[in-house]
Amino acid sequence: MPLACWLAALLITNPAAVVAQPAKAIKEGASQLPGTPVAPAMGQATDQATPQPVAQPTDLAGWLASADAALRAKDRFAAVRAYAEALRLSPGQAEARWGMVSVLRELGAPYAAAAYTGDQGGLQAGPPPQTTGGPLGVRAQQAVLMLRWAASVTPPPGAPRFAATDQVLALIDTLIAEARQDPDARDVLENLRRDRVVALRQRERWADALTAFQALQADGVATPGYVQQARADALLALRRPEEAAQAYDQVIAGESPNLVNRDAYVGRLYAEVESENFKAAFATADTLAAQGRAGKVNPGTGRTEENIDWLSSQILSGQARSYGDLQADAWARLLPLAEGAPALGYLRSTLAEVAAARGWPRRAEAEVQVAASLSPEDRGVRVALGDSALRRREVPTARRISADLLARSPDDASVQRLARDIALNDKAEFRFDVTGNRDAATSVEGPGGGLTWLSRLRSAPLSMLGLTSPAAQAWRLQAAVERSTARPVEGPLVRTRIGAGAVYEGPDVNVALMGWNNTGSLSRTGASIDATWQLTDQWSVSGDAERFAQGTPLRALFYGITADAVGTSVQYRWHESRSLSLGLRTLRFSDGNRRLAQRLVFSQRLLDIPHFTLTARPELEASQNSLQGVPYFNPKNDRSVNLTLEAE
């Protein structure tokens, strides 16, 4: 009895694979077990709600009658006991054997059932064994359990990710071929074909799963909810999110109103996100989040335990906001959960993703390191480690993590995405910027309207060009061309700068070193250095110095006057929606003039919804010059207040 009770807990996910056998069918089925004794005369079975007691422990017919009564009362465990007693008295008794097979199948224990069909292998520790012998229906049900087992285990290091699922698929194909040869196995064949769709989905052979589902429809085979869900998963993986959402809707509509199919809701949410229908995605996430409570009562012990489904739904609700780029909302939902469940690895990894989106790479790195310590073998956490290393520009570390993940899970979409991000990081970059201004002033000191364009080409990291030193990954070569024009009273003026140099991109420091050759109104060489130091996730400082500064007025160049510049700035960035920066810059002109400029910029996002943001950027600028009467725009003091609204 204890073994039967344990086996009953292994309920299969495909209820259609279990066919209930009434008492009459069991008697008829007994003839299918050859070489067994004929049942003795037995008492009349009753329709009472409870099984009849057995008068004598050695009464075989009485135990069989008790089993019949138990089946009528739908008390399967009592039936198991009665059949077991009958088999104790007559080990080969056909009706008891067939009855035991039927009841154990209904309880979801096909491996125990196989022991009564002539396959005496019994149960083994570890994974279910390859099925051999026994009626086809029993072996088909065993294959279902093997499929569930394959989905729940993690393969050992070095083993193919889908080795267990591939084994089950091969078994199902063999059973299907056998069932096609048996005209009486139509129901078993249809169940096997349904299970094959699920197995192909589990194997992530998405196109094959969809083809197998369509074949079921073409043959008029019923497709219950679990098969429909496999189809929906395949559609989503094949990047057909609108169709997937409709398929998930069909699955959900087919369920009881009081039963929330969590997997179907989760799938529909991701389909809605892929379709960028965030309003619907938020509604789906909130429907899941409203189900249940943080604690649930264990019916066996009466104790209140954590409800992991409830917590997962709350996390998913926060993730949905992050997918919609509502990072503040996502953070507000996820942070209290992480504080309440600090040892949940995937929650800390999710929090790291949102921290990175908010512009906090150090906080993201800290969270993902905690997640890795809690769940070191979790594939999602390993991907998050690679993402963090790439954000922190620790590219060799990211590359090692990516190579390991590709060796273990080459078909995983997130693993492939990390590899693509690293490959993009290792490529050359080209950028082209254009700015212009129109000057309506008529003063002889007016700067004149004009246009400036700048193109820059950065090489791949030097490590990709054959250098092997540890620093080669952080350095790139850079070339640039800049052309500026103006139309003051003297006529059209042009300045062209061609530069070459190198750029360093480290975990917290960026440095660009450039040499320039200037032609046009005045031909002369120059140089520049720009550096940024990210002190914390919030604070950063920048500095630059230029010989023959880019900001020298073109009218000054026309009169042979040049300028050198030094500047610095400090920025505090609360998060992605708010920042404040202060900058100081001084220009030293060759005619003796000294210009000091100040700039204060505040940025605040006013509206943040999926697909649209509105940001206000008020700026205060001022400058002072030491000389007057120079032949270029040079007010003694000037101030300006600007308000920019940026709609994106």
Side-chain angles (χ1 to χ4, degrees):
M1 284 296 292
L3 178 61
C5 293
W6 178 81
L7 290 169
L10 298 176
L11 297 177
I12 63 172
T13 57
N14 177 1
V18 183
V19 181
Q21 299 275 359
K24 180 180 179 181
I26 290 174
K27 295 184 181 69
E28 295 174 350
S31 62
Q32 299 181 28
L33 299 174
T36 56
V38 178
M42 51 185 292
Q44 180 67 36
T46 71
D47 291 328
Q48 297 183 20
T50 57
Q52 294 294 301
V54 178
Q56 298 294 331
T58 59
D59 183 2
L60 175 60
W63 283 116
L64 292 175
S66 181
D68 285 348
L71 290 176
R72 295 176 185 276
K74 299 182 180 180
D75 187 347
R76 295 178 178 84
F77 288 103
V80 167
R81 179 177 183 272
Y83 284 131
E85 290 292 344
L87 290 170
R88 178 180 61 81
L89 296 173
S90 179
Q93 209 284 324
E95 183 178 336
R97 287 177 62 194
W98 186 259
M100 188 70 89
V101 169
S102 174
V103 176
L104 288 173
R105 286 189 64 200
E106 289 189 57
L107 290 174
Y111 284 94
Y116 297 93
T117 65
D119 180 9
Q120 301 295 328
L123 292 174
Q124 302 176 5
Q130 179 89 8
T131 60
T132 56
L136 181 61
V138 175
R139 287 182 286 132
Q141 192 177 349
Q142 289 177 328
V144 175
L145 280 183
M146 290 181 67
L147 187 62
R148 292 183 61 208
W149 168 81
S152 63
V153 299
T154 301
R161 179 184 171 197
F162 293 111
T165 303
D166 286 335
Q167 178 184 357
V168 180
L169 262 173
L171 172 61
I172 290 175
D173 287 339
T174 299
L175 293 174
I176 287 176
E178 183 178 339
R180 292 188 188 277
Q181 304 302 316
D182 185 351
D184 297 326
R186 177 178 177 181
D187 290 343
V188 175
L189 175 60
E190 291 182 353
N191 283 329
L192 284 167
R193 292 181 65 189
R194 296 184 188 104
D195 296 334
R196 186 172 186 272
V197 176
V198 178
L200 289 168
R201 178 259 171 268
Q202 184 171 303
R203 179 56 178 82
E204 297 185 6
R205 287 168 53 182
W206 309 112
D208 292 340
L210 200 56
T211 300
F213 178 88
Q214 292 166 345
L216 288 177
Q217 287 187 314
D219 294 341
V221 178
T223 53
Y226 70 94
V227 184
Q228 293 275 358
Q229 187 159 326
R231 170 198 175 227
D233 292 343
L235 287 169
L236 180 59
L238 292 171
R239 309 304 294 271
R240 295 160 63 178
E242 291 83 3
E243 296 176 70
Q246 294 176 0
Y248 286 121
D249 283 340
Q250 293 174 5
V251 175
I252 293 169
E255 298 288 343
S256 168
N258 299 322
L259 178 64
V260 174
N261 186 331
R262 190 173 186 280
D263 290 341
Y265 272 90
V266 171
R268 187 176 75 177
L269 184 149
Y270 282 110
E272 290 162 344
V273 168
E274 286 291 320
S275 303
E276 298 198 19
N277 185 358
F278 290 106
K279 182 178 180 180
F282 297 162
T284 299
D286 293 344
T287 297
L288 281 174
Q291 302 298 317
R293 298 181 178 179
K296 63 179 180 180
V297 177
N298 186 316
T301 64
R303 298 176 180 175
T304 300
E305 301 175 349
E306 65 274 10
N307 186 350
I308 192 63
D309 285 344
W310 176 89
L311 179 57
S312 297
S313 296
Q314 308 308 309
I315 295 171
L316 195 60
S317 182
Q319 284 181 302
R321 269 66 185 185
S322 180
Y323 298 147
D325 204 25
L326 305 185
Q327 307 301 341
D329 192 359
W331 186 260
R333 291 169 182 266
L334 293 172
L335 182 60
L337 298 175
E339 291 174 342
L344 194 59
Y346 79 92
L347 173 54
R348 301 299 289 265
S349 178
T350 301
L351 194 67
E353 293 176 4
V354 180
R358 304 209 76 187
W360 304 333
R362 286 178 173 81
R363 176 64 184 267
E365 181 182 35
E367 293 293 343
V368 78
Q369 290 292 346
V370 171
S373 69
L374 296 168
S375 306
E377 296 301 321
D378 185 275
R379 186 166 62 253
V381 172
R382 296 285 296 167
V383 171
L385 275 172
D387 287 334
S388 179
L390 192 58
R391 278 192 301 270
R392 299 282 291 142
R393 293 174 181 161
E394 297 172 350
V395 182
T397 300
R399 192 175 285 113
R400 286 195 299 271
I401 293 172
S402 177
D404 178 66
L405 287 168
L406 284 172
R408 298 187 182 191
S409 307
D411 298 326
D412 185 87
S414 62
V415 172
Q416 294 173 350
R417 192 265 310 153
L418 174 61
R420 287 195 302 269
D421 288 347
I422 294 173
L424 286 172
N425 178 81
D426 291 338
K427 292 183 180 296
E429 302 174 0
F430 177 76
R431 178 166 179 162
F432 187 79
D433 298 300
V434 178
T435 58
N437 68 289
R438 179 179 175 84
D439 179 19
T442 58
S443 168
V444 293
E445 293 184 350
L451 186 71
T452 298
W453 59 261
L454 170 65
S455 62
R456 288 180 295 178
L457 175 64
R458 287 186 181 178
S459 73
L462 297 184
S463 60
M464 307 299 294
L465 302 179
L467 297 183
T468 58
S469 66
Q473 177 63 52
W475 283 96
R476 298 170 183 258
L477 301 178
Q478 177 170 273
V481 178
E482 182 181 63
R483 181 178 175 86
S484 302
T485 62
R487 288 183 174 274
V489 294
E490 291 83 356
L493 302 178
V494 177
R495 176 187 182 183
T496 301
R497 299 202 308 162
I498 300 177
V503 177
Y504 174 83
E505 296 177 330
D508 300 308
V509 177
N510 285 2
V511 180
L513 303 170
M514 295 290 291
W516 298 94
N517 182 54
N518 296 267
T519 59
S521 300
L522 185 64
S523 297
R524 189 167 297 180
T525 58
S528 65
I529 178 172
D530 295 89
T532 301
W533 183 14
Q534 191 76 35
L535 300 172
T536 69
D537 281 342
Q538 286 76 32
W539 287 100
S540 63
V541 295
S542 300
D544 67 274
E546 292 182 278
R547 179 71 174 175
F548 197 166
Q550 186 272 343
T552 306
L554 265 64
R555 287 194 69 200
L557 298 181
F558 179 78
Y559 291 100
I561 302 170
T562 62
D564 300 330
V566 176
T568 185
S569 66
V570 59
Q571 182 186 63
Y572 185 83
R573 190 174 183 271
W574 284 266
H575 40 67
E576 79 287 354
S577 298
R578 183 183 305 137
S579 65
L580 177 67
S581 63
L582 173 65
L584 299 174
R585 188 170 183 80
T586 180
L587 278 80
R588 180 175 179 176
F589 290 85
S590 59
D591 62 358
N593 184 36
R594 301 292 182 269
R595 177 180 295 173
L596 180 64
Q598 307 87 34
R599 186 169 185 251
L600 180 67
V601 182
F602 178 69
S603 178
Q604 174 64 54
R605 189 169 293 180
L606 302 178
L607 185 62
D608 193 356
I609 60 176
H611 305 300
F612 183 77
T613 60
L614 180 65
T615 303
R617 188 172 293 109
E619 302 180 25
L620 175 62
E621 295 182 281
S623 68
Q624 304 82 38
N625 289 278
S626 62
L627 291 182
Q628 297 299 301
V630 296
Y632 49 88
F633 183 68
N634 192 54
K636 183 175 182 180
N637 294 283
D638 75 319
R639 297 176 183 84
S640 65
V641 178
N642 304 311
L643 176 61
T644 301
L645 290 177
E646 182 181 272
E648 182 176 358

